[in-house]
């Protein structure tokens, strides 16, 4: 495959945009080659400016569960655009989308919309602190909750890919309130509670971690986490920005019995437009301005075009919940295929699937936490990524990310991807 135009475009971008990208993970720093510059998407495919076509397993990092250019979402967006791009005033579509979310999530009585997952989590944390009157929070190493100060500590996703899980520029005075626990290890959580002098406002967790690769929390661990939070009057926040409407219609909450106090959402609820949301029990949400004193605001929050895209997405998902079984089956076929391709060249691989989310590690042991994830063979992953790209398969450019299946991902695409995996693994291990 030729990438000449993308290479030139990257050089141009580099001159005026730091690293040539507007979000670090896009820069291909953890893998080989330069990022293809995308011209357009169509269904399950991406097309770059050199005319290369790729089967897209990134799907804009999760939002596009119906693939690119879904006609229903497109129509809803165009209709909304014709009515006006933004009003900075209430619209009924916000209430409609909120109602859909409230109806689906037992843990959410009220929800507020923002413009990104980062904003959603940042606001949820402030609300948890305002509600409890406590400053400390607990997060898990390898979980990524966006790039706000308190949460950019031992974070996954791009932070892990670049080897800076804790960013310079974040005041130590702030991060001293962020206590770190180990994913799937309840004793480490209990230690945080023992260490906290000021009391813990909330524990935030990706109940299905998607930012250290795909690493689901064990059911017993989540139940124990709930119990510890109850014991201490601490709020439990499920960050379902990635897993919401991806792992199941109700995200992780369609799989676990554990009910959080607050939930953060994003990605799919915007249907490809910038949307985030945070919600929870009404007693908690009542502390949010203007009902309560905890301030949070946004000029473009609840933007009518983004709301229209999200509402159409969610209604499509709700009207056909069986599609999660189809998506999961395709994800399982893909992962079984990758695993067999790895076995064929004696390379150890572990895989996992949750609904439309899939993950694989070049590792010979189960991955239960960030330390395990860090042990994956990243050099081999980099080579695999390049070989797959050259064969028209677009995978996330880091082993600390998750892959996604959309309704536009066909069986033929899965088959082609498995074939590419066999060829690639044979080539890179020869
Ligand atoms: N938050 C996304 C999932 N890890 C990555 C997208 C980005 O950081 O640009």
């Amino acid at each position: 495959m030729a990438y000449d135009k993308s290479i030139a475009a990257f050089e141009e971008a580099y001159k005026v945009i730091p690293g040539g990208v507007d979000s670090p993970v896009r820069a291909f720093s953890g893998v080989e080659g330069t990022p293809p510059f995308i011209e357009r998407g169509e269904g399950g495919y991406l097309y770059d400016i050199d005319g290369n076509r790729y089967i897209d397993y990134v799907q804009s990092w999760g939002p596009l569960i119906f693939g690119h250019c879904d006609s229903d979402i497109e129509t809803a967006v165009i209709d909304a655009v014709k009515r006006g791009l933004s009003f900075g005033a209430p619209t009924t579509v916000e209430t409609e989308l909120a109602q859909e979310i409230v109806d689906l999530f037992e843990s959410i009585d009220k929800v507020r919309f923002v413009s990104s997952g980062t904003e959603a989590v940042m606001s949820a944390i402030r609300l948890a602190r305002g509600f409890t009157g406590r400053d400390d929070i607990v997060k898990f190493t390898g979980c990524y909750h966006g790039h706000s100060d308190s949460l950019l500590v031992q974070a996954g996703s791009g932070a892990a890919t670049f080897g800076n899980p804790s960013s310079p520029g974040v005041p130590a005075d702030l991060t001293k309130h962020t206590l770190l626990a180990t994913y799937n290890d309840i004793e480490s959580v209990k230690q945080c509670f023992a260490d906290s002098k000021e009391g813990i406002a909330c524990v935030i967790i990706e109940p299905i971690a998607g930012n250290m690769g795909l690493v689901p929390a064990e059911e017993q661990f989540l139940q124990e986490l709930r119990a510890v939070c109850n014991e201490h009057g601490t709020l439990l926040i499920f960050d379902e920005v990635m897993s919401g409407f991806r792992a199941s219609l109700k995200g992780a909450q369609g799989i676990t019995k554990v009910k959080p106090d607050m939930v953060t959402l994003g990605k799919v609820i915007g249907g490809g437009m910038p949307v985030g949301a945070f919600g929870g029990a009404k007693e908690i949400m009542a502390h949010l301005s203007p009902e309560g004193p905890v301030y949070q605001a946004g000029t473009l929050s609840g933007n009518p075009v983004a709301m229209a895209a999200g509402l159409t997405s969610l209604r499509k998902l709700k009207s056909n919940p069986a599609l999660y079984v189809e998506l999961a089956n395709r994800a399982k076929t893909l992962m079984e295929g990758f695993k067999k391709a790895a076995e064929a060249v004696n390379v150890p691989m572990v895989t996992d699937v949750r609904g439309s989310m899939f993950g694989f590690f070049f590792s010979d042991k189960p991955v239960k936490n960030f330390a395990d994830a860090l042990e994956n063979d990243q050099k081999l992953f980099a080579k695999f990524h390049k070989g797959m790209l050259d064969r028209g398969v677009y995978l996330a450019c880091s082993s600390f990310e998750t892959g996604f299946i959309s309704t536009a991902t066909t069986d033929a695409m899965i088959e082609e991807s498995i074939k590419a995996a066999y060829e690639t693994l044979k080539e890179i291990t020869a």
Side-chain angles (χ1 to χ4, degrees):
M1 265 195 200
Y3 301 102
D4 301 358
K5 288 186 181 166
S6 282
I7 291 168
F10 196 38
E11 277 167 15
E12 284 307 304
Y14 218 93
K15 292 178 193 161
V16 286
I17 300 174
V21 289
D22 282 316
S23 194
V25 290
R26 298 177 195 172
F28 271 40
S29 306
V31 292
E32 296 177 7
T34 50
F37 274 54
I38 305 305
E39 190 168 76
R40 67 189 178 91
E42 190 184 311
Y45 290 114
L46 274 180
Y47 294 83
D48 72 13
I49 58 175
D50 285 283
N52 300 313
R53 188 184 80 172
Y54 308 94
I55 299 167
D56 182 11
Y57 291 111
V58 179
Q59 296 167 16
S60 191
W61 304 94
L64 305 181
I65 195 161
F66 293 104
H68 297 275
C69 306
D70 174 81
S71 60
D72 298 318
I73 298 172
E74 217 173 65
T75 305
V77 165
I78 292 167
D79 287 351
V81 165
K82 286 181 179 161
R83 290 191 294 270
L85 292 177
S86 178
F87 310 118
T91 57
T92 53
V93 66
E94 293 163 73
T95 313
E96 284 182 82
L97 184 55
Q99 191 64 56
E100 295 291 349
I101 292 170
V102 166
D103 288 349
L104 270 176
F105 286 85
E106 215 189 311
S107 51
I108 302 180
D109 296 327
K110 287 192 177 185
V111 59
R112 174 157 289 172
F113 294 110
V114 291
S115 298
S116 69
T118 291
E119 241 188 290
V121 177
M122 182 185 86
S123 308
I125 297 282
R126 181 179 304 151
L127 181 55
R129 283 174 163 153
F131 178 76
T132 57
R134 303 173 185 171
D135 287 340
D136 286 354
I137 63 171
V138 173
K139 85 171 277 289
F140 293 87
T141 56
C143 281
Y144 178 72
H145 306 287
H147 64 277
S148 67
D149 284 351
S150 301
L151 294 158
L152 211 49
V153 187
Q154 288 296 308
S157 191
T161 308
F162 291 91
N164 298 315
S166 305
S167 174
V170 176
D173 270 356
L174 255 178
T175 56
K176 74 176 186 206
H177 292 295
T178 304
L179 310 183
L180 292 166
T182 303
Y183 204 72
N184 279 322
D185 177 355
I186 198 64
E187 291 311 316
S188 72
V189 178
K190 289 180 182 166
Q191 191 58 51
C192 289
F193 278 88
D195 291 345
S196 172
K197 293 183 184 64
E198 325 216 350
I200 293 174
C202 62
V203 175
I204 184 161
I205 186 167
E206 293 180 81
I208 296 173
N211 287 291
M212 49 175 144
L214 179 63
V215 184
E218 288 158 0
E219 179 64 16
Q220 190 186 340
F221 168 69
L222 287 179
Q223 286 180 13
E224 287 170 347
L225 190 58
R226 178 70 274 181
V228 172
C229 287
N230 288 349
E231 190 188 322
H232 293 272
T234 293
L235 301 183
L236 177 59
I237 304 179
F238 275 6
D239 181 348
E240 296 231 50
V241 168
M242 193 185 281
S243 57
F245 302 96
R246 268 289 178 186
S248 81
L249 186 60
K250 299 181 185 190
Q253 292 168 76
I255 298 171
T256 173
K257 291 194 186 76
V258 175
K259 199 176 141 203
D261 301 295
M262 291 179 74
V263 182
T264 57
L265 295 166
K267 299 194 190 274
V268 171
I269 59 160
M273 300 287 292
V275 180
F278 61 105
K282 54 181 176 305
E283 303 74 40
I284 301 169
M285 296 307 282
H287 278 65
L288 197 61
S289 184
E291 262 183 73
V294 177
Y295 200 71
Q296 181 278 330
T299 300
L300 291 170
S301 293
N303 171 267
V305 183
M307 294 288 103
L311 184 60
T312 308
S313 262
L314 258 52
R315 286 192 172 154
K316 272 169 77 91
L317 291 168
K318 259 179 98 174
S319 69
N320 185 13
L323 65 80
Y324 285 97
V325 178
E326 288 163 32
L327 294 172
N329 284 341
R330 291 212 178 95
K332 280 180 199 152
T333 307
L334 184 72
M335 287 300 91
E336 278 161 19
F338 277 21
K339 204 166 160 55
K340 282 189 185 143
E343 274 164 17
V345 290
N346 291 318
V347 167
M349 179 185 275
V350 290
T351 63
D352 219 326
V353 167
R354 287 296 182 279
S356 64
M357 304 165 74
F358 68 83
F360 62 95
F361 291 102
F362 288 111
S363 178
D364 58 3
K365 61 173 200 189
V367 176
K368 290 181 181 293
N369 56 42
F370 192 37
D372 295 341
L374 285 170
E375 280 182 39
N376 88 85
D377 189 339
Q378 292 178 54
K379 286 200 178 108
L380 189 61
F381 175 85
K383 288 197 175 104
F384 181 69
H385 182 272
K386 173 78 173 117
M388 294 297 275
L389 192 75
D390 289 345
R391 289 169 176 82
V393 181
Y394 190 83
L395 294 166
C397 50
S398 162
S399 57
F400 302 112
E401 298 289 350
T402 291
F404 301 100
I405 305 288
S406 78
T407 58
T409 313
T410 63
D411 289 339
M413 290 179 192
I414 301 282
E415 216 174 289
E416 193 181 324
S417 309
I418 294 170
K419 185 167 167 274
Y422 271 94
E423 287 173 12
T424 299
L425 283 161
K426 203 169 158 198
E427 180 184 272
I428 63 179
T429 57

